[in-house]
Amino acid sequence: MGIRRILTDREPALHKVCKPVEKFDRRLHKLLDDMTETLAEANGVGLAAPQVGILRRVVVVDTGDGILELVNPSLVETSGEQIGPEGCLSVPGKYGLVKRPYYAKVRAQDRNGEWFEAEGEELIGRCFCHELDHLDGIVYTQVMERFLTEEELMAEDEE
Ligand code: NI
């Protein structure tokens, strides 16, 4: 296991379309293990492979129910709408107001290549959409309404 450096959105890797994973081998498992460790260290909710400089379609998510590994994920269903604050480990110290579906369902492969589906509302739906965007080179700042102001950030902290 190892902590990997998290790239900022100024680095070109964050703006590239990632390639599908074809080999479900030890190298992929090491990447997933490292991403999980890196996410935990950073106290994040989700991390996509391009954020650690690997241009493959790999995401790890932890919204409080343990780690979820998504390989080659795609959105298969969304519904509703939510507008709320969103942050990203690659955009440290900032939060933006982003409109996302309320509910999202993804289809993905696990680390051994088995297909499965995962779904969720609120934070989970938001997180799935945010992380899958990363795989297409999209950072939330490109789809947000605007950054939160200092006052709004302080109000969020008090909640
Ligand atoms: Ni992000």
Side-chain angles (χ1 to χ4, degrees):
M1 301 258 278
I3 305 279
R4 303 215 183 180
R5 184 176 74 86
I6 298 176
L7 277 55
T8 71
D9 71 334
R10 290 168 191 229
E11 295 175 80
L14 264 289
H15 303 285
K16 300 248 163 78
V17 176
C18 298
K19 291 185 178 145
V21 169
E22 284 159 5
K23 288 183 190 162
F24 295 81
D25 54 7
R26 285 178 60 184
R27 200 165 164 191
L28 173 67
H29 297 176
K30 170 91 168 99
L31 172 64
L32 283 161
D33 291 343
D34 286 358
M35 285 173 63
T36 291
E37 200 176 345
T38 305
L39 179 66
E41 224 255 336
N43 255 319
V45 173
L47 186 68
Q51 292 182 275
V52 293
I54 307 293
L55 297 179
R56 291 283 172 175
R57 306 189 80 83
V58 177
V59 160
V60 294
V61 166
D62 187 353
T63 53
D65 299 322
I67 201 79
L68 179 64
E69 299 176 345
L70 303 172
V71 179
N72 297 329
S74 60
L75 278 174
V76 290
E77 194 183 331
T78 60
S79 68
E81 192 178 286
Q82 55 178 324
I83 299 175
E86 195 167 309
C88 179
L89 294 174
S90 294
V91 190
K94 292 193 170 180
Y95 291 87
L97 210 52
V98 189
K99 187 192 290 179
R100 298 284 188 190
Y102 180 77
Y103 164 89
K105 184 197 275 187
V106 297
R107 178 173 148 79
Q109 285 167 287
D110 68 15
R111 61 167 57 206
N112 299 311
E114 294 295 320
W115 287 98
F116 67 99
E117 288 184 341
E119 61 180 354
E121 300 172 340
E122 295 186 315
L123 177 62
I124 297 170
R126 175 176 293 284
C127 184
F128 283 169
C129 294
H130 176 115
E131 299 308 329
L132 267 63
D133 269 358
H134 273 304
L135 303 182
D136 291 322
I138 298 164
V139 177
Y140 83 84
T141 50
Q142 295 166 250
V143 296
M144 69 177 181
E145 318 267 310
R146 59 176 173 80
F147 277 119
L148 293 188
T149 64
E150 290 288 324
E151 288 76 14
E152 287 171 319
L153 277 178
M154 283 165 67
E156 286 283 330
D157 282 345
E158 283 162 15
E159 275 174 15

